[in-house]
Amino acid sequence: MAGPDSPEVLVAENVRKRYADEGPWAVDGVTLALHRGEVVSIVGPNGAGKSTLIQMMLGLLVPDSGSVRIFGNEMATGRRKVAHRINYASTDLSLPYSLTVRENLMAYALIYNMRNIGSRIDRLLREMDLASFRDVRVGRLSTGQVARMGIAKALINDPELLFLDEPTATLDPEVSAQLRTTLQTMVRERGMTLLYTSHNMREVERFSDRIYLMNGGRLVASGSVSDLMSRFETEDLESLFLQMVGQKRGKDE
Ligand code: ADP
């Protein structure tokens, strides 16, 4: 079962980051833990610090202070040790556009030294509804197809921990629902842990075991949907979001 009793997959402790000396903190003292088999979302307005936090979790940005450990490894220094166990997809995906869908996935599977590459890719293409595009050059795909391609790429190494930054932003409702079902199956059957961001509050409510609300570089609330609803006496996540963001903006003015 997922939850606080499952092993910790990721631990972030008091992580801070700013992009300029004396500048504002993009991430300002974030502490959190992810457990095996959880679906956790980070929600917050543009500029809240979500992407910066994820980049630090991935070991691509080094925190100014604090630490992120994944499977016990410090990401700022030991990223290579866990790189094969994690993966990531975001909307600003850049792929070799002259290669076909299948060739792209093949290249990534080779990087990860995966076995049974052919059948793995065929399965991912089916799961991401891309089977009929397997021989199409990526440069000719629609925005939504490229997004699905990005997620297929992120799943190529059967990650134990997957980060998805706005995975459904460019997908239509039907494809979004299909993607959620596929991801939920992976979480349930393989104990994958999923951390994702989304601006779609209905999706976050339905899909997440736990939610972190982020604003101004800080975590301002966290819990399951029902925890949050009862604690803040709101009817839905969108109202809570507007309440939290409104308070911060009000203070800044
Ligand atoms: P979010 O993902 O929640 O939209 P970001 O992590 O992208 O938030 O941004 C947090 C803050 O850091 C914002 O004030 C943003 O302008 C700033 N920021 C993000 N990336 C950079 C960068 N590469 N250089 C300078 N400032 C940045």
Side-chain angles (χ1 to χ4, degrees):
M1 268 297 285
D5 297 334
S6 306
E8 282 171 343
V9 167
L10 178 150
V11 178
E13 276 174 344
N14 205 15
V15 175
R16 299 183 95 195
K17 179 77 190 173
R18 59 181 165 193
Y19 288 94
D21 295 343
E22 314 298 321
W25 292 102
V27 170
D28 190 6
V30 166
T31 295
L32 59 80
L34 305 182
H35 298 262
R36 186 171 191 274
E38 280 191 307
V39 177
V40 177
S41 57
I42 302 185
V43 168
N46 293 326
K50 306 180 294 295
S51 301
T52 303
L53 179 61
I54 289 179
Q55 297 295 315
M56 288 191 282
M57 289 175 169
L58 289 164
L60 300 175
L61 270 180
V62 177
D64 293 331
S65 61
S67 75
V68 177
R69 290 191 307 282
I70 296 183
F71 307 122
N73 283 281
E74 187 67 50
M75 290 307 279
T77 51
R79 184 172 172 266
R80 276 168 181 272
K81 287 188 197 143
V82 293
H84 62 288
R85 299 173 69 182
I86 66 177
N87 215 324
Y88 164 70
S90 78
T91 46
D92 54 346
L93 175 69
S94 135
L95 293 164
Y97 281 103
S98 59
L99 297 183
T100 66
V101 166
R102 195 165 192 284
E103 287 166 345
N104 259 281
L105 292 178
M106 188 73 82
Y108 288 107
L110 290 170
I111 290 171
Y112 281 102
N113 208 7
M114 300 305 292
R115 294 198 194 139
N116 306 323
I117 290 179
S119 56
R120 175 181 299 273
I121 290 176
D122 288 345
R123 194 193 69 217
L124 282 173
L125 292 177
R126 277 196 309 278
E127 286 171 346
M128 291 301 131
D129 207 12
L130 286 170
S132 52
F133 299 95
R134 53 186 275 154
D135 297 319
V136 174
R137 289 182 206 282
V138 169
R140 301 186 73 94
L141 297 179
S142 71
T143 314
Q145 287 159 354
V146 171
R148 271 139 57 198
M149 172 73 203
I151 294 162
K153 169 183 166 279
L155 290 168
I156 198 84
N157 61 326
D158 275 338
E160 293 166 67
L161 171 61
L162 178 64
F163 298 87
L164 296 178
D165 201 353
E166 296 191 43
T168 53
T170 58
L171 302 182
D172 68 45
E174 190 188 349
V175 176
S176 298
Q178 197 179 322
L179 173 64
R180 285 193 292 274
T181 305
T182 303
L183 292 171
Q184 271 167 333
T185 304
M186 290 175 180
V187 167
R188 205 175 44 239
E189 289 181 356
R190 296 204 264 110
M192 184 173 82
T193 305
L194 176 60
L195 180 73
Y196 81 106
T197 68
S198 173
H199 289 295
N200 180 339
M201 296 302 137
R202 296 282 296 146
E203 170 177 278
V204 169
E205 276 177 2
R206 282 194 220 154
F207 191 43
S208 319
D209 298 316
R210 280 192 305 127
I211 299 165
Y212 286 104
L213 237 137
M214 196 168 179
N215 199 12
R218 291 169 178 267
L219 298 180
V220 291
S222 69
S224 67
V225 180
S226 52
D227 286 347
L228 290 170
M229 298 303 98
S230 59
R231 195 172 342 140
F232 292 94
E233 295 177 358
T234 52
E235 284 167 18
D236 54 41
L237 195 59
E238 184 155 319
S239 311
L240 175 60
F241 179 95
L242 293 172
Q243 189 183 318
M244 290 285 174
V245 172
Q247 273 176 9
K248 173 75 171 67
R249 288 201 177 134
K251 270 190 221 152
D252 289 348
E253 280 159 12

